[in-house]
Amino acid sequence: MDLGIQERLNDFIRRKGLRRTSQRDTIVKAAFSKDEHFTADELFDRVRKLDSETSRATVYRTLGLLVEADLLREIDLGENQTTYDPNFLDKPSHNHLLCIDCGRVVEFEDSHLDMLNDCITRRLGFKPVRQTIKIEANCEQLRLKGRCPNLIATRLTGKRLRKKR
Amino acid sequence: MDLGIQERLNDFIRRKGLRRTSQRDTIVKAAFSKDEHFTADELFDRVRKLDSETSRATVYRTLGLLVEADLLREIDLGENQTTYDPNFLDKPSHNHLLCIDCGRVVEFEDSHLDMLNDCITRRLGFKPVRQTIKIEANCEQLRLKGRCPNLIATRLTGKRLRKKR
DNA sequence: CTGATTGCAAATGCTTTGCACGCCA
DNA sequence: TGGCGTGCAAAGCATTTGCAATCAG
C-alpha cells in the first residue's frame, strides 16, 4: 500500500476541519491493502477482519469521504452495487476492459486515447475534466485455444463480473 | 419515432415465443416518442399519460425486454436510477459528454475514437464487442461569456444531472 | 385451451439517516 | 467543552417477485 495515502487523507481531513479516527484509519488500510476493485460490502468484510467493531454505516460514510478526497473512484462495471477502484493514484487516467467470457477486468492506459478524447471535448466547446472508458470484449485467445492467457497480464486478480440481480 | 421499432420488437417477440400486448405497444411508443434519455420512473409517467392502467412493474419488465432486444441501452450518467438511451438505433456507437456546469448531456460520435479503441482492445488480446465512453467536462464558453451556447447543438433537451441521493 | 402477461402488494437489497452516546481537538 | 463521528436500527428508494386473474395465440 502506498505510504502516502494515509497522509493524503490526513491532509484532506485537516483541510475540511474533520477528525481522524481509528475507524477511518482501519477503513483506509483495508481499502488500499490490495489493488482489487471492491464493493462497500466487500470492504466491510475486510474491515471487520481488522476491527470487528466498525459498523457498516461508517464504512459507507468513509467511502464517501475517500471519493470526495479523490483517493478512491467509483467505477461502473455493470454491476448493481457501486464498485470502488483504488488504483487511480498510481494510474490517474486508466480505463477498464471487461472480458465478457470470464468477467475479469483489465486496466489499461493509453495516452493517444486521452489526447483524442481531449481534442473531441474541446472541439465540442468544453474543457475536459475526466473521461471514463469501458470496453467490453471477448477473449480472442480463449476462442482460439480454449483458455485466457492474456488475463495473466492484469493486475487484478479474482475479480469477476457479477450477474445482474 | 422510427417506424421500424414496433416491427423490430414484434420480430423479437415472435422469435422468443412471447406475446404482443397493448401494454408493450404503449410502452414502446412512450419510450421512443422523444430522443431524450429517461429513467424507468420517467417512462412510467409518460406511459401513464397514454394509458392510465399500465403498472410500474410492467414498465420495468418491458424495459428489460427492450434492452435484451437491443432497442434500448442502459447508460451510466452517474445517477442512481438506471438511465435508458433510445438513440442507439440511429447512432449505434455514440458516446456521451456530461456538462459539469449545467448537467446536460451531449451525444457525439467519432470514428477515430472507435478505431483507436478497437486497436487497443485487440492489442490486449481481445475481440471488441462494445465500448462506452463518458466524458465529464466544463463548458468553456460558460466560463468565458457566462452562458452555454454550445448546448444548443445537442439533441437532448432539458436533461439534467441529478444529485446523488 | 395453455402458458405468457399483468396488476397489486409485498419483498429485496443497497444505501442513507435519525438519534443518543462517545470521543477528538 | 463543542461538535464531529460512530453504532444501531429504522428508514428510503429503485427494482424485483409471488400470486391469482386475465389475455393472446
Side-chain angles (χ1 to χ4, degrees), chain B residues 17-19 21 23-24 53-55 57-58 61 165:
Chain B
L18 307 176
R19 285 167 194 181
T21 66
Q23 286 93 333
R24 285 177 179 167
E53 298 298 295
T54 304
S55 74
T58 296
R61 287 189 273 236
R165 60 159 116 123

Side-chain angles (χ1 to χ4, degrees), chain A:
Chain A
M1 165 177 156
D2 183 336
L3 290 173
I5 290 170
Q6 198 65 256
E7 293 169 26
R8 282 168 186 255
L9 181 62
N10 293 343
D11 281 351
F12 180 78
I13 280 177
R14 211 174 302 126
R15 272 199 309 280
K16 300 269 285 186
L18 306 177
R19 286 167 194 179
R20 184 175 178 181
T21 65
S22 66
Q23 287 92 333
R24 286 178 179 166
D25 284 357
T26 305
I27 292 168
V28 167
K29 192 191 281 187
F32 294 93
S33 62
K34 317 178 191 177
D35 55 11
E36 276 177 40
H37 304 149
F38 56 83
T39 63
D41 211 57
E42 287 163 358
L43 179 58
F44 177 64
D45 286 344
R46 287 196 218 163
V47 168
R48 274 297 173 106
K49 282 178 188 154
L50 299 176
D51 168 19
S52 58
E53 299 298 294
T54 305
S55 74
R56 186 173 255 104
T58 296
V59 170
Y60 274 103
R61 287 188 271 235
T62 303
L63 277 171
L65 215 59
L66 293 173
V67 169
E68 200 190 331
D70 212 41
L71 297 179
L72 228 44
R73 202 109 119 207
E74 297 181 358
I75 59 173
D76 167 42
L77 258 32
E79 303 183 17
N80 309 291
Q81 300 169 66
T82 306
T83 304
Y84 298 87
D85 185 334
N87 304 325
F88 278 93
L89 288 172
D90 288 340
K91 305 194 288 176
S93 78
H94 75 261
N95 296 292
H96 298 98
L97 183 153
L98 280 66
C99 181
I100 291 173
D101 299 314
C102 74
R104 292 220 196 189
V105 179
V106 178
E107 300 193 339
F108 67 93
E109 291 182 291
D110 188 285
S111 59
H112 300 293
L113 197 49
D114 292 341
M115 282 188 286
L116 183 51
N117 264 314
D118 280 1
C119 286
I120 292 169
T121 305
R122 272 186 263 273
R123 197 189 309 144
L124 290 169
F126 292 84
K127 181 161 161 284
V129 171
R130 171 181 299 183
Q131 50 174 282
T132 309
I133 300 175
K134 180 175 71 173
I135 294 177
E136 291 161 274
N138 292 120
C139 178
E140 189 65 14
Q141 297 304 305
L142 173 70
R143 191 173 65 78
L144 298 174
K145 301 178 184 169
R147 55 200 188 82
C148 243
N150 310 291
L151 292 171
I152 297 167
T154 177
R155 302 174 58 199
L156 300 170
T157 55
K159 182 71 188 173
R160 293 185 167 273
L161 190 63
R162 269 174 252 165
K163 288 276 185 294
K164 277 281 185 183
R165 58 163 115 120

Side-chain angles (χ1 to χ4, degrees), chain B residues 81-95:
Chain B
Q81 301 170 63
T82 306
T83 304
Y84 297 87
D85 185 335
N87 303 324
F88 278 93
L89 288 172
D90 288 341
K91 306 195 287 177
S93 79
H94 74 261
N95 296 293

Side-chain angles (χ1 to χ4, degrees), chain B residues 3 6 8 12 15 20 26 37 96 107 112 115 128 133 135 139 144 157:
Chain B
L3 290 171
Q6 197 65 255
R8 283 171 188 253
F12 181 79
R15 272 199 308 279
R20 183 175 178 179
T26 305
H37 305 147
H96 298 98
E107 300 193 338
H112 300 293
M115 283 188 286
I133 301 174
I135 295 176
C139 177
L144 297 175
T157 56

Side-chain angles (χ1 to χ4, degrees), chain B residues 58 104 109 115 121 127 138:
Chain B
T58 296
R104 292 219 195 188
E109 290 181 291
M115 283 188 286
T121 305
K127 182 162 160 283
N138 291 121

